[in-house]
Amino acid sequence: CDMRSTFSPKLSTKTKIQGGIGHEHYISKLSMRGHLIVADEPLDNGGKDAGPTPTELVLSGLAACTASTLRMYADKKGWDVERIDLEISIRIEKTDTGQISHVESLIDITGNITAEEKARMIEIAQKCPVHKLLSNPIQIQTSAKP
């Protein structure tokens, strides 16, 4: 979650990761800024369950970005927020023309805050950069490396 895009609307950001897979079903190795992540499929999908699924990684990004955005907002406001816990799930509905992804984000905010402050935090959750990325039009260009 690049918070700069939250607070500087005109700033364009670029994030880059590298990923690859060999012959081992279906373990993908991903790297970004020196960090390594392994993604895999569960055993019942033919994988070895060596890491989260790609979908879980996407939802994890939303959870981490939402939590960070809310923590930053509560701190900026000086609100007494003790914890922010999230549960994010997805249900994919197949349609005649493709699919619709239904993402549900349940946020539990604990601390000494009012109902109005909590409601404002739920509004702010929908403004985190990853939420915007997933809920606005997106263009994906795929091509072969020369």
Side-chain angles (χ1 to χ4, degrees), residues 26 40-49 51 53 56:
Y26 293 98
D40 196 5
E41 290 294 326
L43 296 172
D44 60 355
N45 255 13
K48 294 190 175 163
D49 204 19
T53 68
E56 290 167 338

Side-chain angles (χ1 to χ4, degrees), residues 87-116:
E87 181 179 304
I88 299 185
S89 59
I90 188 168
R91 178 179 57 82
I92 297 174
E93 175 187 348
K94 302 294 181 188
T95 67
D96 292 339
T97 57
Q99 67 182 36
I100 301 172
S101 300
H102 301 273
V103 176
E104 183 177 9
S105 179
L106 296 173
I107 304 171
D108 185 16
I109 303 166
T110 57
N112 187 20
I113 62 170
T114 66
E116 292 80 19

Side-chain angles (χ1 to χ4, degrees), residues 19-37:
I21 191 168
H23 289 287
E24 196 169 12
H25 294 231
Y26 293 98
I27 297 175
S28 298
K29 297 190 177 161
L30 312 164
S31 66
M32 64 290 300
R33 297 182 305 103
H35 302 285
L36 299 174
I37 297 175

Side-chain angles (χ1 to χ4, degrees), residues 6-22:
T6 300
F7 299 106
S8 301
K10 295 181 184 190
L11 180 64
S12 176
T13 62
K14 184 171 183 175
T15 301
K16 184 176 177 180
I17 70 162
Q18 290 81 36
I21 191 168

